[in-house]
DNA sequence: GCACAGGTAGATT
DNA sequence: AATCTACCTGTG
């Protein structure tokens, strides 16, 4: 194993100084948590001090919420970031892209039909500032192949095991303790996954998903460039291609396109959305395909963004109301 | 012990 | 075309 020991500094060894996260509008700590750890991504974990530690591709970063915005200009940045010192230059560019800084989510949200949809208006108000992440396409596919009938905490555990057992070590979080768990690992890439036997994958708590991941990895190995082409194809074609992968149906394909390719027209229909549309829109006993059609026509070309507001709201409130 | 969990695929009706 | 079911396994 390479020596990944970081340079030490007095206050926060190995980490860059905290810097304002430019280009990302204000959001509450709760909305930040929902954005990073609400089911779009599975590689963020809370740290002491209201800090989130996250990773994607070969990036590692901490993000923290630093309190309320003061009234009037000059505006105060409410989010700050810090990265391992040797990664900071790359993270400075990659983090805004990951958080979708190239998009004005306030304007996109305003374009949703909330004026004629009181429930959508309520969801937006509850999670104002919510963003759709722009994650690496391949990693997003892996994450949602793990997601079938699993809760977020369990999906995160599967991803953590895949990384720690089969991914390249990226950085040691602490030089005081050389335990393997102190290393942040990359997720295994699809070529790396293709070399792992299905039984070994199963040992990462993947269950029946191991077969799908293994077969998808072998397919991608035999079709170089397939994933990269799919990412940039028009939505309908890209979705059709993703659905041809073993273990990928409409729901997972839409999640990959929404959270891993920024396709805001993708409208994933999961159990939460079924509950939301049954309870809030009277669509009791509607099948997923019908709910999907309703969503696309009712919420329009940004239906995926609407979906995320509805999803977050339902996760927060449906239990206590039922 | 047993139902349930960000589903999908294959069989059956 | 719509409706069942098996599929792994941790969690409550």
């Amino acid at each position: 194993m390479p020596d990944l020991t970081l340079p030490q500094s007095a206050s926060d060894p190995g980490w860059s100084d905290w810097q304002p996260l430019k280009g990302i509008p204000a959001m509450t700590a709760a909305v930040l948590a929902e954005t990073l750890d609400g089911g779009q991504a599975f590689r963020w974990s809370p740290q002491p001090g209201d800090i989130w530690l996250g990773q994607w591709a070969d990036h590692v970063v901490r993000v923290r919420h630093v309190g309320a915005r003061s009234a009037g200009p000059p505006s105060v940045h409410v989010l700050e970031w810090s990265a391992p010192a040797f990664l900071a230059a790359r993270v400075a560019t990659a983090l805004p892209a990951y958080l979708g800084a190239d998009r004005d989510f306030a304007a996109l949200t305003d374009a949703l039909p909330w004026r004629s949809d009181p429930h959508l208006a309520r969801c937006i108000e509850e999670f104002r500032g919510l963003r759709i992440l722009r994650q690496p396409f391949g990693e997003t596919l892996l994450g949602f192949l793990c997601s079938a009938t699993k809760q977020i905490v369990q999906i995160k555990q599967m991803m953590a095991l895949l990384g720690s057992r089969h991914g390249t070590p990226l950085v040691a979080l602490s030089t005081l303790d050389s335990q393997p768990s102190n290393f942040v690992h990359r997720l295994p890439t699809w070529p790396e996954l293709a070399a792992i036997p299905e039984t070994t994958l199963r040992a990462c708590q993947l269950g029946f998903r191991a077969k799908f991941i293994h077969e998808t990895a072998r397919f991608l190995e035999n079709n170089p460039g397939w994933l990269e082409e799919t990412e940039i194809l028009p939505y309908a074609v890209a979705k059709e291609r993703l659905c041809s992968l073993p273990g990928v149906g409409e729901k997972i394909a839409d999640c990959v396109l929404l959270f891993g390719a920024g396709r805001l027209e993708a409208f994933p229909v999961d159990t939460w959305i079924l509950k939301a549309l049954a309870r809030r829109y009277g669509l009791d006993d509607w099948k997923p395909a019908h709910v999907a059609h309703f969503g696309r026509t009712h919420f329009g070309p940004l239906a995926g963004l609407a979906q995320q507001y509805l999803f977050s709201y339902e996760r927060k409130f449906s239990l206590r109301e039922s």
Side-chain angles (χ1 to χ4, degrees):
Chain A
M1 183 170 290
D3 180 10
L4 296 171
T5 303
L6 289 168
Q8 301 283 315
S9 78
S11 57
D12 212 359
W15 291 87
S16 70
D17 291 333
W18 289 97
Q19 302 175 56
L21 185 34
K22 294 173 184 169
I24 307 296
M27 65 183 84
T28 65
V31 171
L32 176 64
E34 185 65 20
T35 299
L36 299 179
D37 198 31
Q40 297 190 54
F42 306 107
R43 297 282 273 166
W44 289 89
S45 60
Q47 306 286 114
D50 289 326
I51 292 169
W52 287 96
L53 173 67
Q55 56 182 124
W56 68 98
D58 56 355
H59 304 298
V60 179
V61 67
R62 298 184 300 179
V63 172
R64 72 177 180 185
H65 188 271
V66 291
R69 170 187 291 259
S70 65
S75 64
V76 173
H77 295 281
V78 296
L79 298 184
E80 294 181 342
W81 67 274
S82 161
F86 76 101
L87 287 175
R90 277 181 283 160
V91 169
T93 302
L95 179 60
Y98 178 91
L99 294 172
D102 59 325
R103 285 185 140 151
D104 183 347
F105 278 100
L108 294 168
T109 298
D110 190 58
L112 292 173
W114 56 272
R115 292 173 182 79
S116 56
D117 182 338
H119 180 64
L120 178 59
R122 193 157 45 239
C123 296
I124 291 171
E125 191 52 41
E126 189 68 33
F127 291 94
R128 193 159 292 283
L130 189 68
R131 310 182 69 79
I132 302 292
L133 301 177
R134 179 66 169 85
Q135 302 175 77
F137 195 62
E139 282 188 12
T140 313
L141 174 60
L142 178 60
F144 283 94
L145 271 171
C146 294
S147 73
T149 65
K150 281 294 174 189
Q151 301 180 99
I152 293 172
V153 284
Q154 296 174 313
I155 302 166
K156 288 171 69 172
Q157 180 61 19
M158 296 179 198
M159 302 292 271
L161 280 172
L162 280 171
S164 63
R165 294 184 182 178
H166 303 293
T168 307
L170 287 174
V171 57
L173 283 190
S174 168
T175 56
L176 302 177
D177 183 344
S178 60
Q179 295 296 314
S181 61
N182 254 341
F183 281 85
V184 175
H185 292 247
R186 233 200 100 101
L187 282 176
T189 63
W190 281 110
E192 287 166 351
L193 287 165
I196 303 173
E198 182 187 324
T199 51
T200 308
L201 290 175
R202 279 188 179 253
C204 295
Q205 304 178 359
L206 295 181
F208 62 81
R209 302 154 197 84
K211 183 181 182 186
F212 294 145
I213 290 169
H214 180 71
E215 291 179 354
T216 290
R218 299 299 294 270
F219 172 85
L220 295 175
E221 182 179 39
N222 293 326
N223 294 271
W226 189 95
L227 212 47
E228 293 75 8
E229 292 167 15
T230 303
E231 182 176 359
I232 58 175
L233 281 169
Y235 167 72
V237 191
K239 181 173 176 180
E240 191 177 9
R241 280 170 63 126
L242 285 172
C243 284
S244 76
L245 293 172
V248 178
E250 284 205 41
K251 188 270 176 186
I252 289 177
D254 274 330
C255 284
V256 174
L257 289 167
L258 181 57
F259 307 131
R263 306 301 178 84
L264 299 186
E265 65 265 56
F267 188 79
V269 176
D270 56 48
T271 56
W272 290 106
I273 293 301
L274 284 174
K275 284 181 199 170
L277 293 201
R279 184 184 185 96
R280 318 291 177 182
Y281 295 78
L283 308 189
D284 297 281
D285 300 321
W286 280 43
K287 303 309 168 196
H290 295 148
V291 168
H293 181 259
F294 174 89
R296 286 192 297 271
T297 56
H298 179 75
F299 298 112
L302 304 175
L305 180 57
Q307 179 269 170
Q308 201 58 27
Y309 283 112
L310 295 176
F311 175 84
S312 297
Y313 184 96
E314 211 61 28
R315 276 203 333 136
K316 181 172 180 179
F317 292 111
S318 73
L319 282 179
R320 70 183 66 171
E321 289 176 8
S322 61

